[in-house]
Amino acid sequence: KNVLGFIAQEIEKVFPDAVDESGETDEKGNAYKSVGPASLIPVLVKALQEQQTIITALTARIETLEKK
């Protein structure tokens, strides 16, 4: 079965609060990690808002340059 998701170790580097460790470990003693997608929603929404602000500013700039 194909499942979409995130690699917890990569997310942990930039947003450690989004990563949970289970009580289980692998053969090397490393705890299994998972990402709670719900904890990423506010961060992702904020990033989209910031991108939209940049897009709007660049669109206005292009329109101004095209008028010249």
Side-chain angles (χ1 to χ4, degrees):
K1 181 177 177 181
N2 292 329
V3 178
L4 298 177
F6 298 102
I7 298 172
Q9 289 80 355
E10 291 179 3
I11 297 293
E12 188 175 36
K13 293 175 187 174
V14 292
F15 194 52
D17 292 340
V19 176
D20 294 319
E21 287 188 1
S22 72
E24 299 177 41
T25 59
D26 64 14
E27 63 280 350
K28 294 180 183 178
N30 298 315
Y32 287 113
K33 297 180 180 189
S34 64
V35 178
S39 62
L40 293 176
I41 292 173
V43 176
L44 296 173
V45 168
K46 180 64 176 170
L48 287 170
Q49 290 171 334
E50 291 172 0
Q51 283 183 335
Q52 190 58 48
T53 300
I54 293 168
I55 291 168
T56 301
L58 290 173
T59 301
R61 187 173 173 192
I62 289 169
E63 289 173 359
T64 301
L65 291 170
E66 287 177 342
K67 290 178 184 177
K68 289 185 178 183

